[in-house]
Amino acid sequence: MSPVLLMFIGLALFVFGYLVYSKYLAKRVYKLDPAFKTPAHELNDGVDYVPTNKFILWGHHFTSVAGAAPIVGPAIAVIWGWLPAFLWVTLGTVFFAGMHDFGALWASTRNKGRSIGALSARYIGKRGANLFLVVIFLLLLMVIAAFAVVIKNLLISTPSAVIPTWGAIVVALLVGVAVYRMRWPLVPVTIVGVVALYALIVLGDQVPVVLPDDFLGMGPATFWILALFIYGAIASLLPVWVLLQPRDYINGVQLFIGLGLLYGAVLIATLFAADKPEIVAPMINTALPEGTPSMIPLLFVTIACGAISGFHGMVSSGTSSKQLDKEPDARFVGYFGAIGEGLLSLGTILAVIGGFRTVAEWEEVYSSFGAGGVGAFVEGGGMLMQTGIGLPASLSATVLATMAVLFAATTMDTGMRLLRFVVQEIGDAMHIRITKFPATLVVVVVGLGLTFSQGLGGDGGLRIWPLFGTTNQLMAALTLSILAVMLIRKRRNALPALLPLIFVFVMSFWAAIEQLVSFANPEQPDWLLFVLDVVIIVASIWVAVEAVIAMRKAATDPPEPEDQDASIQAVREEV
């Protein structure tokens, strides 16, 4: 079977999602109002609250939510077969992730840009909200620590990605000055910025940077980890227009072009190459390696980003809602941002099932659960690009490795900004005022402490990563429960939130219980993960009960009146 058939089916589903389902959500469910004054205008402070062009904001949102997870998750999950992964990525993006991301952005915008943690206190109850702040803290800590490890490993294994990775920061700073200070038109600035980024990729391929074993008194791994945390701390404190917005926007455009190259390579190789790519991976894998867990429920937490992800709700409510210029922009930023991540996950699946020549090659990579990952994506995608569009293998690997690094880097520093907000919210809950500098210091110290907890190689960043999938999906369920309460209060159709909520909660809670049993295995117990998993399970049960109570109350209370400034006819014309 040719991978191009899967590509077209997936693309058709994504087009349907954006043109049909997201329009229904915008008109009938969220009822977006172009006259609504967004927090970016109401609370404009030039630092976090800044009205932003929807294309630039989409770039920030897309690259922040994407990270490395929509590559890692699908590249691991195809071990169960390509069909389950394909169905969850496509249908999960259209009916789960798009609704979730779009909804979180709308909900936060309607509540002065408040985070999911703050919204849970308002719509579900304060009793569980404070406990869940701890879970949010753990989730964000997992993201920044693990992605630091992923980036560090790629910079060491693919030294040709070093120059484009760090050069992209300089390009982004110049783009920010050109757009916001010199007021240059966005299109020519975009073209020049993208050309500069790809020039850096070519330069990086020609001039790989390999650090010596002893660099400034430390090993390469230690140096890259420290450099990443220092960069992330600075980026999280700067006004969003200086680095966050332009960097994420220009990276988003460049990364979309990279995806275009990957999809184009699949099509061209299928049509014209003598050695046409074929799907060598099994549709349903019945010969799973020993130790592989059951597909249900683990598939739905292994592929989180790329189908639905609680982290997206934190980005939507943490940074994107504070920059939304007009409420109707939420459809493009939120829903199409989820589509962008779905495209990345679909591209990853195509690369890891169609980028190998034989079943034996594929089985060698997928010899155990957890194998594959970014390495399989770079290897398989590089082979497709070499076959389809003739890029040399080394340059193809550089393009894909740079894509992975830039996705991970933008998510890491956005995660640090979000974690700073969470630290401040925890301080507020304890009646302690924490300003942004001490909060950022807490984030850096705790993040580095976790990352170096198993040595200076920095692999401690993956210490609590096994909990990411379940914690992330339980966060998504929390976000959906907030949306359901808001919609019930307004007497709108809550089924688009309730149905995904039930499915995601059941699967993620089931996975959390299975993990709890494995962590308590007498032969090889992991008591740290066991205790953290217990905390997450207890918090989830608590919030679930509170959410049900809140929904029942919302259904019996008098309905909330529609906003007085809403103009439904204007909404219909706008969207």
Side-chain angles (χ1 to χ4, degrees):
M1 180 179 176
S2 172
V4 77
L5 178 60
L6 281 187
M7 182 181 79
F8 281 124
I9 294 173
L11 292 177
L13 287 169
F14 291 149
V15 169
F16 163 81
Y18 185 71
L19 295 183
V20 179
Y21 190 56
S22 77
K23 188 171 289 189
Y24 164 76
L25 294 174
K27 287 183 177 180
R28 304 298 181 189
V29 178
Y30 300 134
K31 298 185 179 180
L32 303 183
D33 177 14
F36 180 77
K37 190 174 184 179
T38 65
H41 289 280
E42 183 181 359
L43 304 172
N44 188 347
D45 61 4
V47 179
D48 295 316
Y49 292 84
V50 178
T52 304
N53 176 287
K54 70 177 183 179
F55 296 103
I56 294 178
L57 182 54
W58 169 83
H60 154 68
H61 185 83
F62 166 53
T63 54
S64 294
V65 301
I71 296 174
V72 175
I76 291 175
V78 294
I79 197 168
W80 288 300
W82 59 259
L83 182 60
F86 172 78
L87 291 175
W88 179 229
V89 162
T90 52
L91 299 179
T93 294
V94 171
F95 295 107
F96 288 54
M99 190 278 170
H100 170 276
D101 297 12
F102 183 5
L105 185 53
W106 166 76
S108 180
T109 300
R110 285 282 164 164
N111 286 274
K112 299 184 183 296
R114 292 188 177 94
S115 70
I116 287 299
L119 293 181
S120 66
R122 176 174 181 180
Y123 288 100
I124 295 178
K126 292 184 179 180
R127 287 176 296 186
N130 291 339
L131 180 59
F132 226 89
L133 274 176
V134 177
V135 178
I136 295 172
F137 181 90
L138 289 174
L139 179 60
L140 289 170
L141 184 61
M142 292 177 205
V143 169
I144 64 174
F147 281 14
V149 176
V150 170
I151 298 168
K152 174 262 296 183
N153 289 339
L154 280 170
L155 293 177
I156 293 174
S157 65
T158 314
S160 56
V162 172
I163 288 179
T165 295
W166 295 101
I169 298 172
V170 178
V171 173
L173 289 169
L174 294 175
V175 168
V177 171
V179 172
Y180 288 103
R181 285 295 177 261
M182 303 181 73
R183 304 294 180 182
W184 289 0
L186 183 59
V187 172
V189 171
T190 301
I191 293 172
V192 172
V194 170
V195 170
L197 279 179
Y198 274 95
L200 288 170
I201 290 174
V202 174
L203 176 63
D205 186 56
Q206 298 298 314
V207 189
V209 177
V210 180
L211 297 184
D213 292 338
D214 185 0
F215 184 72
L216 299 179
M218 64 189 84
T222 304
F223 174 80
W224 286 132
I225 292 291
L226 289 174
L228 288 165
F229 270 91
I230 292 170
Y231 157 73
I234 295 172
S236 70
L237 289 168
L238 290 173
V240 291
W241 69 266
V242 174
L243 182 57
L244 182 140
Q245 286 181 353
R247 177 212 57 204
D248 291 358
Y249 168 69
I250 205 70
N251 283 350
V253 174
Q254 184 268 142
L255 294 167
F256 236 61
I257 293 173
L259 283 175
L261 291 174
L262 179 60
Y263 281 104
V266 173
L267 179 60
I268 294 171
T270 302
L271 293 177
F272 302 109
D275 188 11
K276 301 183 186 303
E278 292 289 333
I279 296 177
V280 298
M283 179 183 296
I284 302 290
N285 192 1
T286 57
L288 293 170
E290 185 177 352
T292 302
S294 58
M295 181 177 70
I296 298 175
L298 267 296
L299 171 71
F300 303 103
V301 296
T302 301
I303 301 179
C305 302
I308 183 171
S309 165
F311 178 71
H312 296 191
M314 288 186 280
V315 174
S316 293
S317 65
T319 56
S320 298
S321 63
K322 296 175 175 63
Q323 303 169 60
L324 196 69
D325 184 31
K326 299 176 182 178
E327 192 175 56
D329 292 350
R331 176 182 169 227
F332 180 78
V333 175
Y335 196 97
F336 193 63
I339 292 291
E341 187 171 72
L343 287 168
L344 176 58
S345 290
L346 177 59
T348 298
I349 292 172
L350 296 175
V352 299
I353 66 174
F356 296 91
R357 295 303 183 209
T358 64
V359 176
E361 285 183 13
W362 186 85
E363 289 179 340
E364 183 179 353
V365 172
Y366 287 90
S367 58
S368 63
F369 182 73
V374 176
F377 168 71
V378 172
E379 181 181 350
M383 180 64 70
L384 285 173
M385 294 175 78
Q386 183 180 13
T387 303
I389 56 180
L391 280 183
S394 63
L395 183 57
S396 298
T398 301
V399 170
L400 294 175
T402 301
M403 281 177 59
V405 169
L406 292 180
F407 271 126
T410 54
T411 301
M412 179 186 171
D413 57 53
T414 297
M416 291 186 73
R417 185 180 290 261
L418 293 172
L419 193 51
R420 185 243 297 176
F421 293 154
V422 171
V423 170
Q424 292 176 290
E425 288 181 2
I426 292 175
D428 292 341
M430 299 171 64
H431 305 291
I432 300 173
R433 185 176 182 273
I434 305 177
T435 60
K436 63 181 182 180
F437 290 104
T440 302
L441 181 61
V442 170
V443 171
V444 172
V445 170
V446 176
L448 284 174
L450 174 61
T451 307
F452 289 133
S453 62
Q454 294 183 332
L456 295 179
D459 292 332
L462 299 175
R463 179 70 180 87
I464 59 175
W465 184 253
L467 291 171
F468 173 78
T470 51
T471 309
N472 189 45
Q473 298 304 70
L474 288 168
M475 272 301 307
L478 169 66
T479 302
L480 290 168
S481 66
I482 293 170
L483 295 178
V485 172
M486 290 183 67
L487 294 172
I488 293 171
R489 279 188 177 188
K490 294 177 179 293
R491 298 297 187 266
R492 298 179 189 173
N493 182 10
L495 285 178
L498 284 172
L499 296 179
L501 164 60
I502 295 169
F503 182 86
V504 172
F505 182 81
V506 169
M507 290 299 167
S508 52
F509 191 80
W510 183 358
I513 296 298
E514 285 199 1
Q515 284 187 312
L516 190 68
V517 173
S518 68
F519 295 148
N521 185 344
E523 296 181 3
Q524 194 175 5
D526 193 323
W527 297 115
L528 172 63
L529 296 185
F530 180 87
V531 171
L532 292 177
D533 200 12
V534 168
V535 171
I536 292 164
I537 289 171
V538 170
S540 302
I541 294 173
W542 194 326
V543 174
V545 172
E546 297 280 355
V548 171
I549 294 172
M551 289 179 205
R552 294 183 64 180
K553 187 175 185 299
T556 56
D557 285 348
E560 282 187 352
E562 294 293 343
D563 299 299
Q564 298 300 311
D565 59 353
S567 173
I568 302 304
Q569 183 59 39
V571 173
R572 290 172 178 166
E573 294 173 357
E574 180 77 12
V575 299

